[in-house]
Amino acid sequence: MNSASPAPNQDALQKKPWHKRIKWDWTLLAVLAPLTLVLSLVFQDQGRRAGKVTWEFFLEMLVIFPAVLIIMGLFAVWVSREKVVKYLGEGSGIRGLVLSMLLGALPTGPLYIAFPMGAMLLKKGARVANVMAFLSAWACIKIPQELMEFQFMGWKFALTRLSITIVLVGILCLIAEWIYNRIPEKADKSKSAGQT
Amino acid sequence: MMSLTAIVINLLVAVALVASVLKDRNKTALALKVAWNALKRLGPSVLVVIIIIGLFLGFIPEDWIAGIIGSRSGILGVLVSAFLGSILFIPAILAFPLGASLLESGASIMSVAAFITTLTMVGFVFIPVEIKELGKKFTVLRNGLSLIAALIVAVLMGLIL
């Protein structure tokens, strides 16, 4: 932390928030693993139960995680972001919504990767509802994720949640678009490009 | 130990992998590299979540969890789970083992559905990025409606299952 840092340096610091500069996963692992061990030695009954549960979940993870990773990899090389964006603007009405959700379910990567794609689509004139549907599908019905849901929550839970979510997201995206088009775009400096 | 679900999923992925190899060897090698990098990125988090699940189910008395987000706690439990799901920052694929452990420890289906749906759809941590890319109006609408969607999904799940 240089106190005399120039403006661009400060900017870079702001772009990398504090929670990204710490390796949370490794830190947590280094704290939790010994803690669990100590707790298990002190409270042996609970420790045995914790050990059993951890082992069971570990095995369940072991049989599904490699498949999830490979599917992620395959999507990453066979479904490029450019291709997704190309097809996403197209289609109107229900067809457009369904297509957006299907495309959102395909690629991988965390939600924040999808935001720039959504922004580009809006700029290109895609329907607000379609972009919302795309982001929602990306967030909650992505295929590698669903493999995990089937494995851990079971078919009944997964299929029920999936079908309810898809219908609901479709309806809510249309409502969101209706509201979106009725709120004037003031105080929104970030994307004043096409607005007057 | 292998459940039918795991067998079906692994078979499907194996078929996809073979098809990919037949179509383009180099691309498949690249895909495996992407998978390996994802393993390195997600691996520690996976272990952390498994340990937390173990601590959770081993050391926390079941009636505590059931009392907070069990079926007796009703709508309040759903709201608590939706709130937790919105603020927690966990890779989405880990939402499901966590959800399963909550169910096992006496949480209601409603609460777990709310937790999973908000965990994946609503990201309070991402809001600054989302505003920057898509604007305040879009962000507020999307997160707000996702939260509403999560609550409706939860209630419907509770009624159906």
Side-chain angles (χ1 to χ4, degrees):
Chain A
M1 309 292 142
N2 200 336
S3 57
S5 59
N9 203 345
Q10 235 170 16
D11 202 44
L13 265 181
Q14 274 170 354
K15 266 182 194 147
K16 209 165 183 206
W18 60 276
H19 64 262
K20 283 212 173 135
R21 271 179 279 153
I22 304 172
K23 292 208 165 178
W24 280 111
D25 41 3
W26 286 107
T27 314
L28 271 173
L29 196 59
V31 172
L32 280 175
L35 179 76
T36 311
L37 215 63
V38 170
L39 275 176
S40 303
L41 288 175
V42 178
F43 306 97
Q44 298 217 340
D45 274 357
Q46 286 95 323
R48 248 192 299 280
R49 196 145 55 111
K52 198 172 149 258
V53 168
T54 307
W55 180 242
E56 277 169 10
F57 270 88
F58 181 73
L59 286 181
E60 217 169 318
M61 196 61 101
L62 209 61
V63 296
I64 197 75
F65 203 48
V68 172
L69 290 171
I70 288 174
I71 266 298
M72 280 169 134
L74 288 177
F75 276 130
V77 297
W78 289 109
V79 187
S80 70
R81 303 226 159 95
E82 294 75 39
K83 228 183 265 174
V84 169
V85 170
K86 194 180 137 208
Y87 287 109
L88 193 54
E90 292 169 16
S92 53
I94 297 293
R95 216 180 119 250
L97 273 181
V98 172
L99 191 67
S100 306
M101 278 195 222
L102 279 178
L103 287 168
L106 282 182
T108 52
L111 188 57
Y112 53 77
I113 288 184
F115 293 148
M117 291 171 74
M120 195 155 79
L121 286 163
L122 277 185
K123 230 169 261 164
K124 274 170 60 182
R127 274 187 73 169
V128 173
N130 286 6
V131 178
M132 289 240 179
F134 171 70
L135 290 177
S136 303
W138 184 299
C140 73
I141 55 175
K142 220 144 24 90
I143 289 168
Q145 233 162 273
E146 282 319 299
L147 298 185
M148 296 291 269
E149 178 160 18
F150 279 120
Q151 166 77 356
F152 282 98
M153 309 301 296
W155 293 90
K156 219 167 103 189
F157 185 99
L159 283 180
T160 315
R161 200 186 66 91
L162 207 56
S163 31
I164 296 175
T165 308
I166 289 172
V167 173
L168 208 60
V169 161
I171 297 170
L172 285 176
C173 286
L174 290 173
I175 296 175
E177 182 185 72
W178 190 84
I179 301 174
Y180 187 91
N181 290 335
R182 266 154 197 80
I183 299 176
E185 192 132 4
K186 54 183 185 208
D188 213 354
K189 289 163 251 156
S190 46
K191 50 180 303 295
S192 48
Q195 228 74 21
T196 32
Chain B
M1 196 59 229
M2 252 319 242
S3 65
L4 185 65
T5 312
I7 293 172
V8 171
I9 288 172
N10 277 286
L11 276 178
L12 286 175
V13 172
V15 169
L17 191 61
V18 170
S20 175
V21 169
L22 291 178
K23 211 166 173 211
D24 191 331
R25 236 165 234 244
N26 293 333
K27 265 192 167 181
T28 311
L30 192 62
L32 291 179
K33 215 179 138 199
V34 171
W36 173 246
N37 287 335
L39 175 65
K40 281 197 287 190
R41 201 178 65 240
L42 291 168
S45 309
V46 170
L47 292 179
V48 165
V49 165
I50 291 177
I51 292 177
I52 288 178
I53 289 173
L55 279 175
F56 205 64
L57 294 181
F59 288 95
I60 297 177
E62 273 179 30
D63 39 339
W64 285 18
I65 297 165
I68 301 168
I69 54 174
S71 43
R72 275 170 297 145
S73 57
I75 287 298
L76 190 68
V78 173
L79 290 177
V80 170
S81 325
F83 177 71
L84 283 178
S86 305
I87 56 164
L88 284 178
F89 177 63
I90 302 171
I93 52 170
L94 294 175
F96 303 106
L98 269 180
S101 76
L102 284 175
L103 265 189
E104 222 170 280
S105 59
S108 68
I109 288 203
M110 255 193 238
S111 303
V112 173
F115 178 71
I116 288 176
T117 311
T118 48
L119 197 57
T120 50
M121 278 177 87
V122 189
F124 283 2
V125 212
F126 292 147
I127 281 182
V129 191
E130 191 171 355
I131 289 180
K132 210 167 140 205
E133 294 286 349
L134 291 158
K136 213 178 271 171
K137 197 165 73 171
F138 190 97
T139 305
V140 169
L141 273 174
R142 197 193 67 80
N143 282 286
L145 287 168
S146 295
L147 205 55
I148 294 170
L151 294 177
I152 300 177
V153 167
V155 171
L156 287 178
M157 290 285 288
L159 293 177
I160 293 171
L161 293 179

